[in-house]
């Protein structure tokens, strides 16, 4: 998961001397702890309250971590037993090949359908395989295409994310934005010879998430011609967050 550089953000700072030097090491009141723009108009606050206001932003992204490939095997024969035998023979070969390649049984789902078509019998089997290793997925698909005849159809992989991925990415973006704002506040305080104290306010002002890139609409018109890398890029999710933080100085 890559953390892209955060866009530039403005930094605001107030450094007002204490009106009463004796209060410098005393705790401030709850009203004084509020940022200037959030204090009640009639509140009596200490004129020497010192704060640093920073805003930070971050964007994170995550590539899909799952891929679904469907393999379909079918046969139409005048004799029911021959249709079943033809499909089951190739189905056994597919499942054995998956086991030999290290695909776990829980990641393979097999369904079978048998019916009459006019004066013949038609049987179709569907093998749904979930992959977490995309390199292994490509090797297995290439192997099956090479070893099996044209009656076996292998669908293009469908890339997706496990449940909860978007919410997890949103949290990561927010935490990264807070960290960026904190680092900026630290650097500003060090530059002007001040010490950054506790945060008085942390507010997430904006959050958004999206899938793919801005130019993906050009690729979506030709879904059958997308490469594996283009499909992964199109299924990549992004999350951005912008925060505003007030620190005591």
């Amino acid at each position: 998961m890559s953390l892209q550089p955060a866009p530039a953000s403005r930094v605001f700072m107030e450094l007002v001397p204490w009106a009463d030097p004796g209060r410098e090491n005393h705790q401030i009141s709850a009203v004084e702890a509020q940022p200037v723009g959030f204090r009640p108009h009639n509140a009596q606050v200490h004129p020497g309250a010192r704060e640093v206001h920073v805003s930070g932003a971050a964007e994170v992204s995550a590539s899909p971590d799952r891929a679904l490939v469907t393999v379909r095997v079918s046969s139409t024969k005048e004799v029911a037993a021959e249709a079943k035998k033809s499909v089951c023979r190739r189905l056994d070969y597919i499942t054995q090949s998956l086991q030999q390649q290290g695909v776990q049984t829980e990641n393979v789902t097999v369904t079978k359908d048998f019916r009459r078509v006019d004066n013949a019998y038609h049987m179709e089997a569907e093998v749904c395989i979930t992959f977490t290793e995309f390199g292994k997925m490509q090797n297995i698909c290439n192997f099956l295409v090479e070893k099996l005849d044209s009656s076996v159809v292998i669908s293009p992989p469908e890339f997706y994310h496990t449940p909860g991925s978007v919410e997890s990415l949103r949290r990561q973006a927010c935490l990264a934005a807070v960290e960026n704002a904190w680092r900026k506040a630290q650097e500003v305080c060090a530059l002007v010879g001040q010490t950054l104290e506790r945060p008085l306010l942390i507010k997430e002002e904006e959050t958004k998430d999206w899938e793919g890139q801005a130019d993906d609409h050009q690729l979506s018109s030709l879904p059958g011609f997308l490469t594996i890398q283009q499909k992964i890029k199109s299924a990549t999710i992004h999350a951005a967050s912008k925060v505003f933080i007030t620190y005591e100085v």
Side-chain angles (χ1 to χ4, degrees):
M1 184 174 300
S2 60
L3 178 60
Q4 302 180 3
S9 60
R10 296 184 300 168
V11 179
F12 306 90
M13 190 167 188
E14 298 177 22
L15 290 175
V16 182
W18 289 100
D20 180 5
R23 293 193 64 220
E24 185 169 359
N25 296 323
H26 295 175
Q27 291 187 350
I28 60 177
S29 66
V31 173
E32 291 176 313
Q34 297 181 20
V36 175
F38 292 85
R39 295 170 183 164
H41 294 293
N42 59 350
Q44 298 296 322
V45 298
H46 196 279
R50 298 185 298 180
E51 300 171 349
V52 56
H53 302 244
V54 293
S55 61
E59 179 182 317
V60 295
S61 61
S63 300
D65 54 2
R66 296 289 187 275
L68 178 66
V69 173
T70 301
V71 181
R72 294 182 178 87
V73 183
S74 62
S75 178
T76 303
K77 303 287 185 180
E78 293 183 355
V79 180
E82 292 182 358
K84 291 181 180 179
K85 181 179 179 180
S86 176
V87 170
C88 291
R89 175 174 51 83
R90 287 171 291 173
L91 188 60
D92 290 341
Y93 181 82
I94 293 172
T95 54
Q96 290 176 8
S97 298
L98 294 176
Q99 292 176 358
Q100 292 173 358
Q101 294 291 335
V103 178
Q104 300 298 320
T105 305
E106 58 267 23
N107 292 329
V108 179
T109 303
V110 179
T111 57
K112 300 177 182 179
D113 178 58
F114 184 74
R115 62 182 182 273
R116 293 200 61 148
V117 179
D118 296 329
N119 295 324
Y121 295 91
H122 179 82
M123 183 171 181
E124 182 173 307
E126 186 176 84
V127 184
C128 296
I129 315 161
T130 301
F131 291 96
T132 57
E133 301 177 37
F134 300 157
K136 177 185 290 188
M137 173 197 70
Q138 289 182 279
N139 292 336
I140 291 177
C141 290
N142 293 340
F143 175 80
L144 294 178
V145 168
E146 178 183 354
K147 297 298 182 180
L148 299 173
D149 56 34
S150 58
S151 63
V152 178
V153 179
I154 302 177
S155 70
E158 298 178 13
F159 296 96
Y160 65 98
H161 297 263
T162 50
S165 296
V166 175
E167 186 59 35
S168 175
L169 203 64
R170 288 173 183 159
R171 291 195 297 269
Q172 292 180 42
C174 181
L175 293 177
V178 171
E179 183 178 2
N180 288 342
W182 174 77
R183 291 184 184 278
K184 291 177 183 179
Q186 286 273 26
E187 293 174 2
V188 169
C189 287
L191 183 65
V192 296
Q194 299 295 318
T195 301
L196 189 68
E197 301 294 343
R198 59 174 181 162
L200 303 176
L201 172 72
I202 300 177
K203 179 181 179 182
E204 187 174 35
E205 295 185 319
E206 181 182 348
T207 179
K208 61 180 180 178
D209 54 81
W210 65 97
E211 187 177 70
Q213 299 290 343
D215 57 351
D216 279 351
H217 66 280
Q218 299 176 353
L219 300 176
S220 60
S221 60
L222 300 171
F225 296 92
L226 296 182
T227 65
I228 294 295
Q229 291 302 320
Q230 287 174 328
K231 290 179 180 179
I232 292 176
K233 178 182 176 182
S234 181
T236 297
I237 56 176
H238 305 261
S241 176
K242 181 179 180 181
V243 299
F244 175 84
I245 306 180
T246 298
Y247 289 97
E248 180 183 357
V249 177

